[in-house]
Amino acid sequence: MKVLTRYLLRSQIGPFFFAFFALTGVVLINTLAQKMADLAGKGLPTRVFAEFFVYSLPANVALTLPMSVLVAVLYSFSAMASENEITALKASGIDLRRMVTPLLVSATIIAVGMFWFNDRVLSAANFRWRNLMMDVAQTSPLLALREHVVNPIPSSDGSMSYYLKAEHIDQATNRLKDVTIFDLSNPDVKRTIYADSGRMAWNRTRTDLVLILFDGTVQEAQLSKSGSFQQVDFQKQMLRMPGVSQQLQRTTDASYRTPRDMTVAMMQARIDTFTTQLSKIEKEQRGRPENGFMTPPKLAIGGRTVSYDQMRTESLRFQIRDLNTEIQKKYAIAAATLVFVLIGIPLALRFSRGGVGMVIAVSLSIFSIYYVGLIGGQTLAGNGYVTPWLAMWLTNLLFGTLGIFGLWFVGREQSSGRGGGWGEWPRWLRLPRARRAERAAEAG
């Protein structure tokens, strides 16, 4: 059995790492594509992009590692069954259920490691990733000005104090031609600057934008004084726009954490705090006489009237459910590696002749059902329809039960490891290519 155990474990390594790197790469590219618009055009250093990549990786690994386990099990066992290795092992008197025990043990070890990873590494990475994205969002965009368009120039406080229009912009040298600037920095003064040409630059600390303008005029009118207007011609003028920062200001005080940023111990401590507050409110409500002077005021929320205490109670209960759901989610996703082994082996042995198409189709189907189950369960638990434990573990229980029954039946002696291909699936579940091949064979 030691030789067989080593052989089974070695057969999983290649498919596992191939699926892991392929799936992680695809998910990571999708993440980068979605968030690249938030990073591009802000003059961020390369280090920030590297941080974004590193902090995004743990979330992708937490998703793709259980998926890779399923792909490896489906591929390796379907290949062994199609090459009659399973039949030979069963003919030698080896019990299939005992044969897969080392894989279940390995999957359990991976599940324990995944829980530690999700609890410690993933929560810390999510915390830093969220702070990084908040800092990036507060960074003023790099001035990618467009020609013939009035371009707003935001300052660090979010206000639009300056607007710039240029008929020609040289992005390489930051030179401008036929420049018009609308200065709204002073609400009492309306100032418009026209220049034949200009050049953009930054101050030494790169916090202010400096425009050097040539051969133009400044027209200024005071709104508080009727008829007040003046025009000044210039050959060279420097206009400083403060607060148009191109630097990333990193957060120094980031103590607040969302449930996704917290470890199980942190969430449990917060649950205990909320539970204490909830008990205190309920105790105060029981000790308060009805229709008394101390009755809290009523609030109209969502078309219904609730008391202030009732609103606080509902808020605390929602936060407790949210934290409990996140705790159960960490455990459930980690246990998915074991569940995927349980359901992957009987599926691979039953439909071994499906080949790579079977592996892809079954993997995508199980991933989709599992993902929808997690998202739907989280919504139901948040609204209080089901308990957090049931919401997060229902999909695991379903797949795990099916996997145990499947292992029991394929492990029976009268069952053949040489399972069917697409032809044993219901007609409506078969791939279009398989249906066309079946109709061609019937016609021939």
Side-chain angles (χ1 to χ4, degrees):
M1 287 296 292
K2 292 183 178 180
V3 176
L4 179 60
T5 299
R6 288 196 297 269
Y7 175 74
L8 287 174
L9 294 178
R10 282 200 303 267
S11 67
Q12 309 290 319
I13 295 177
F16 170 79
F17 281 106
F18 176 82
F20 176 72
F21 287 114
L23 292 172
T24 303
V26 170
V27 176
L28 188 59
I29 290 174
N30 182 53
T31 303
L32 292 174
Q34 291 179 347
K35 294 297 182 180
M36 191 55 65
D38 298 333
L39 300 176
K42 295 197 173 184
L44 301 175
T46 306
R47 173 178 55 83
V48 175
F49 289 89
E51 287 184 32
F52 176 82
F53 178 84
V54 172
Y55 296 153
S56 300
L57 200 56
N60 296 327
V61 170
L63 178 66
T64 59
L65 194 143
M67 297 165 60
S68 304
V69 171
L70 176 61
V71 172
V73 169
L74 288 172
Y75 181 83
S76 59
F77 273 85
S78 62
M80 292 173 62
S82 63
E83 295 173 3
N84 292 322
E85 293 183 21
I86 298 296
T87 303
L89 290 172
K90 293 173 67 174
S92 301
I94 298 177
D95 187 0
L96 176 64
R97 289 163 291 189
R98 180 174 177 82
M99 183 177 66
V100 301
T101 300
L103 294 180
L104 297 178
V105 174
S106 301
T108 303
I109 296 174
I110 295 176
V112 174
M114 278 296 299
F115 172 72
W116 177 86
F117 179 86
N118 293 342
D119 186 43
R120 300 299 180 87
V121 180
L122 179 59
S123 58
N126 286 340
F127 177 65
R128 297 190 178 187
W129 182 87
R130 182 174 59 84
N131 289 332
L132 176 64
M133 296 306 296
M134 290 176 59
D135 295 339
V136 169
Q138 296 174 2
T139 302
S140 297
L142 180 67
L143 295 176
L145 302 177
R146 294 180 295 170
E147 298 176 346
H148 314 293
V149 174
V150 178
N151 300 273
I153 302 178
S155 58
S156 57
D157 59 0
S159 62
M160 301 294 179
S161 301
Y162 299 93
Y163 292 83
L164 185 147
K165 179 183 178 182
E167 297 302 320
H168 176 72
I169 301 174
D170 189 342
Q171 299 288 354
T173 60
N174 290 332
R175 294 191 175 274
L176 313 172
K177 296 289 291 183
D178 295 332
V179 185
T180 303
I181 299 174
F182 304 96
D183 184 358
L184 306 180
S185 58
N186 188 346
D188 296 329
V189 178
K190 181 180 180 181
R191 181 183 294 114
T192 305
I193 303 174
Y194 302 93
D196 176 72
S197 60
R199 180 167 58 88
M200 290 191 302
W202 298 94
N203 64 343
R204 291 184 179 181
T205 58
R206 303 186 71 82
T207 58
D208 300 339
L209 175 64
V210 179
L211 289 178
I212 304 174
L213 305 174
F214 303 95
D215 300 327
T217 60
V218 179
Q219 297 179 357
E220 183 176 301
Q222 294 186 6
L223 301 180
S224 59
K225 296 181 179 181
S226 177
S228 174
F229 176 82
Q230 64 177 353
Q231 177 175 312
V232 178
D233 297 331
F234 63 86
Q235 292 184 341
K236 180 180 180 180
Q237 181 172 343
M238 181 180 296
L239 176 63
R240 182 184 297 271
M241 300 180 182
V244 186
S245 174
Q246 197 183 1
Q247 282 190 329
L248 177 66
Q249 304 295 329
R250 303 308 297 264
T251 301
T252 56
D253 183 15
S255 57
Y256 175 75
R257 288 177 179 259
T258 65
R260 295 184 70 249
D261 307 336
M262 302 168 66
T263 64
V264 171
M266 293 178 182
M267 287 188 284
Q268 192 59 57
R270 185 169 292 183
I271 289 174
D272 294 339
T273 302
F274 290 156
T275 303
T276 302
Q277 295 177 5
L278 184 61
S279 300
K280 182 179 179 181
I281 295 175
E282 292 175 346
K283 184 178 179 180
E284 291 176 353
Q285 288 177 335
R286 290 192 299 267
R288 184 185 298 121
E290 296 185 3
N291 300 323
F293 293 103
M294 299 301 294
T295 302
K298 301 288 185 178
L299 302 174
I301 300 177
R304 64 193 183 100
T305 303
V306 297
S307 66
Y308 178 70
D309 285 347
Q310 185 178 355
M311 184 184 66
R312 291 174 58 197
T313 299
E314 292 179 358
S315 176
L316 288 172
R317 287 175 178 169
F318 174 81
Q319 294 182 73
I320 291 173
R321 288 196 304 268
D322 190 27
L323 291 169
N324 278 321
T325 302
E326 194 65 33
I327 291 175
Q328 297 301 325
K329 185 179 178 181
K330 289 180 182 292
Y331 287 107
I333 292 179
T337 55
L338 179 60
V339 173
F340 287 164
V341 171
L342 287 173
I343 196 172
I345 293 175
L347 285 175
L349 297 181
R350 191 67 186 88
F351 303 101
S352 59
R353 288 181 296 184
V356 178
M358 184 276 297
V359 174
I360 296 175
V362 172
S363 299
L364 290 177
S365 300
I366 293 179
F367 298 159
S368 301
I369 295 173
Y370 196 87
Y371 181 76
V372 171
L374 279 180
I375 299 300
Q378 196 163 6
T379 302
L380 293 175
N383 293 329
Y385 294 119
V386 295
T387 63
W389 184 92
L390 180 61
M392 293 294 98
W393 284 91
L394 182 60
T395 312
N396 279 350
L397 294 175
L398 174 63
F399 283 151
T401 302
L402 293 176
I404 291 173
F405 276 106
L407 282 177
W408 175 262
F409 283 112
V410 300
R412 295 170 59 186
E413 199 63 37
Q414 62 268 29
S415 298
S416 172
R418 183 75 170 174
W422 291 110
E424 296 194 15
W425 286 80
R427 182 180 293 272
W428 62 276
L429 282 177
R430 302 175 202 170
L431 293 178
R433 184 176 179 182
R435 293 199 299 268
R436 290 195 298 268
E438 181 181 351
R439 286 196 296 267
E442 293 176 353

